[in-house]
Amino acid sequence: EVQLVESGGGLVQPGGSLRLSCAASGFTFSSNYMSWVRQAPGKGLEWVSVIYDSGSTYYADSVKGRFTISRDNSKNTLYLQMHSLRAEDTAVYYCATSGYSSGWPNFDYWGRGTLVTVSS
Amino acid sequence: QSALTQPASVSGSPGQSITISCSGTSSDVGGYNYVSWYQQNPGKAPKLMIYDVTNRPSGVSNRFSGSKSGNTASLTISGLQAEDEADYYCSSYTSSRLVVFGGGTKLTVL
């Protein structure tokens, strides 16, 4: 069974930093493209970033230059390092990946999310 | 990148069919057969309902179907049921190798 478990969320002041983690199991982590998707309270979904199995990375314009996605295949863990956080970054952050049949850029599997609140 | 355009809300009675549209550009929806649809219930993670415009993941009811014409994709739900009431989001791959979501549509089953 595929499981994605996010952690690391919390309350942070504007301008601060935070690192999110996503522990993956139940599939060959090293072979999958892994993404972060966020959802501000009461708002819609916003794709944040992807890291390919090759290590290539892509970012939404709204976070480019502030967020860094990375992966540790030896630990089956995905990360999102967030710097220069703003109030508008407040959201539930989901880790997501595709299934064998669907592939990128589809998200068959999602974690439960971790809440990041940026406020003074 | 701009969000894809979806109607804020749609409604229908049990047994009816409804269609949710998702409008983009030739750089996303119109340029690739990589449109997905997600269902999200309150407090839950999204669930993939349609991928690659028309394909249903295993376990998704065949009452859900997807299509695309030009820069607009559509999700149709036939034989509407109370359990279909949820928020629905489309997404598309883009020419910049990114993913963009629609603003979401709230489906109300009357």
Side-chain angles (χ1 to χ4, degrees), chain A residues 22-99:
Chain A
C22 171
S25 61
F27 64 102
T28 307
F29 178 79
S30 60
S31 300
N32 268 43
Y33 291 13
M34 299 296 299
S35 275
W36 290 97
V37 177
R38 69 184 180 182
Q39 186 169 35
K43 302 298 184 181
L45 301 172
E46 181 186 15
W47 178 82
V48 173
S49 181
V50 63
I51 183 166
Y52 291 178
D53 54 350
S54 64
S56 295
T57 59
Y58 296 90
Y59 300 91
D61 291 346
S62 57
V63 306
K64 197 169 185 179
R66 300 187 299 122
F67 290 11
T68 301
I69 191 171
S70 62
R71 64 193 301 161
D72 185 336
N73 291 336
S74 68
K75 295 182 178 179
N76 286 355
T77 301
L78 175 72
Y79 301 100
L80 186 67
Q81 178 68 56
M82 304 183 293
H83 294 296
S84 303
L85 283 162
R86 307 165 180 167
E88 53 264 38
D89 295 319
T90 295
V92 172
Y93 284 73
Y94 294 102
C95 168
T97 192
S98 59

Side-chain angles (χ1 to χ4, degrees), chain A residues 35 37 39 43-48 50 52 58-62 94 101-112, chain B residues 1 34-36 38 40 43-48 50-52 57 89 91-93 96-104:
Chain A
S35 275
V37 177
Q39 186 169 35
K43 302 298 184 181
L45 301 172
E46 181 186 15
W47 178 82
V48 173
V50 63
Y52 291 178
Y58 296 90
Y59 300 91
D61 291 346
S62 57
Y94 294 102
S101 297
S102 62
W104 170 255
N106 305 291
F107 305 120
D108 296 70
Y109 303 108
W110 299 69
R112 291 188 174 184
Chain B
Q1 68 271 23
Y34 291 137
V35 175
S36 306
Y38 299 86
Q40 187 179 34
K44 301 293 187 180
K47 175 185 177 182
L48 181 66
I50 296 288
Y51 68 94
D52 296 352
Y89 296 90
S91 73
S92 175
Y93 185 67
S96 302
R97 299 187 179 186
L98 310 180
V99 173
V100 61
F101 281 96

Side-chain angles (χ1 to χ4, degrees), chain B residues 17-100:
Chain B
S17 293
I18 64 96
T19 297
I20 300 172
S21 61
C22 171
S23 295
T25 69
S26 58
S27 295
D28 40 63
V29 174
Y32 307 90
N33 288 323
Y34 291 137
V35 175
S36 306
W37 288 92
Y38 299 86
Q39 176 192 67
Q40 187 179 34
N41 288 297
K44 301 293 187 180
K47 175 185 177 182
L48 181 66
M49 305 302 285
I50 296 288
Y51 68 94
D52 296 352
V53 181
T54 62
N55 296 311
R56 273 189 314 274
S58 175
V60 172
S61 170
N62 59 9
R63 295 186 298 105
F64 291 82
S65 62
S67 63
K68 189 182 83 167
S69 177
N71 296 338
T72 299
S74 299
L75 172 71
T76 297
I77 308 173
S78 59
L80 206 57
Q81 298 179 1
E83 66 199 48
D84 299 331
E85 186 162 292
D87 294 326
Y88 291 85
Y89 296 90
C90 62
S91 73
S92 175
Y93 185 67
T94 79
S95 58
S96 302
R97 299 187 179 186
L98 310 180
V99 173
V100 61

